[in-house]
Amino acid sequence: MTISVSSLGFLGHSVYDMAKLSPELGIEIFYEWGGETYWELALTRIMDQRTGPFSIHAPYQGDIVEMSLTEKEADMFAYLAQPFDLYHRFGGTGYVVHMNAPYPVEPSPFEKAERLKRVEDRLARLNDICQREGVTLLVENLAFGHGLKTLCNQQEFLDIFAHNPALNCIIDTGHAVLGGLDIYQIQKTLGSRLAAYHIHDNDGVEDCHQRVGTGVIDWARFGEGARLYTPQANFVMEYNAGPTPQEYGEDAQKIKAVFQG
């Protein structure tokens, strides 16, 4: 296993505090929250002497990347390809993509089927693009607080991977709880295709991005599934702002203990 830290908790100039993280911890960045110069300068410092992996969270805000709805398909693929140069410059190992944005109301059965088909087709095409470019695409499960609706239940999410054996997955633990997903069963079903996790906790109601062990997630069962089925995975702590670099180090030790049982 490897353990990383997301830039979610380090906005603006505080991103440079990520350089204080232990060098064995990897880094994942939210690409769209900074320009090319911002990331070039920040990552040159943050990744210096770092042995942990580097990954990128793809752009996910705005209609252009709403994979289930956008009509501007060519523009979407072009926009999602923008981080590829940065990915290669810093030795990227994973590229995380959302497959839909939150819906204010539940789609009808017809709308849901239509959107799922569109997402499947576009993920397959995006994965082909990524493979040609030497980028490892990771598809993330989604669920939202504030009563917002998502696209997939557990079986529908797994069907996407059953229909496209070339796709790989990242499971977000907080989203899984909000969406009623059984992480252990997903671990067992996808095995090595589940290449990474976004690790955070919540209260079972809102997507709080809390520290491990401060919410409702059954970490013992999660650790058992990770140990049995995804020992190679990267564990990305994706917390909201608050924890210090030292506290990320403490939580990395908690995650190792969860993994070891």
Side-chain angles (χ1 to χ4, degrees), residues 35-237:
E36 196 73 15
T37 300
Y38 173 87
W39 286 123
E40 178 71 30
L41 292 171
L43 288 170
T44 297
R45 184 184 303 181
I46 293 166
M47 297 302 295
D48 184 40
Q49 304 300 312
R50 187 165 298 282
T51 57
F54 173 66
S55 53
I56 295 179
H57 196 303
Y60 72 96
Q61 296 177 308
D63 292 343
I64 192 172
V65 287
E66 217 302 12
M67 197 171 293
S68 74
L69 294 175
T70 185
E71 297 179 1
K72 299 179 179 179
E73 188 172 81
D75 291 343
M76 178 191 70
F77 287 131
Y79 185 40
L80 289 174
Q82 284 184 12
F84 288 0
D85 285 345
L86 198 69
Y87 178 98
H88 290 303
R89 206 174 309 153
F90 292 95
T93 59
Y95 185 62
V96 179
V97 67
H98 284 189
M99 59 189 187
N100 66 279
Y103 306 133
V105 296
E106 189 79 35
S108 70
F110 175 81
E111 290 170 331
K112 185 171 185 175
E114 185 180 55
R115 293 175 193 184
L116 276 169
K117 179 63 167 61
R118 190 178 296 127
V119 164
E120 275 198 27
D121 291 345
R122 288 173 170 175
L123 285 174
R125 289 182 59 192
L126 180 60
N127 199 42
D128 287 343
I129 293 168
C130 286
Q131 287 182 332
R132 289 198 301 270
E133 296 292 332
V135 171
T136 300
L137 180 67
L138 303 176
V139 180
E140 180 178 356
N141 62 303
L142 297 170
F144 311 94
H146 306 294
L148 295 169
K149 310 301 181 183
T150 192
L151 185 59
C152 292
N153 61 28
Q154 177 157 321
Q155 190 56 56
E156 290 160 344
F157 182 70
L158 288 173
D159 283 347
I160 290 172
F161 298 92
H163 298 161
N164 189 341
L167 277 181
N168 290 310
C169 178
I170 178 169
I171 285 294
D172 184 297
T173 59
H175 295 170
V177 168
L178 296 180
L181 304 189
D182 186 334
I183 298 175
Y184 187 92
Q185 288 302 318
I186 295 174
Q187 292 167 323
K188 185 176 181 179
T189 301
L190 293 181
S192 62
R193 294 174 66 190
L194 204 176
Y197 298 95
H198 281 159
I199 301 291
H200 54 99
D201 221 325
N202 63 44
D203 59 5
V205 179
E206 297 294 342
D207 191 20
C208 309
H209 287 260
Q210 298 169 198
R211 293 176 65 182
V212 167
T214 63
V216 300
I217 292 176
D218 183 347
W219 290 107
R221 191 165 190 262
F222 167 84
E224 180 184 354
R227 191 164 58 252
L228 289 174
Y229 303 114
T230 67
Q232 80 299 329
N234 185 33
F235 296 70
V236 184
M237 288 180 278

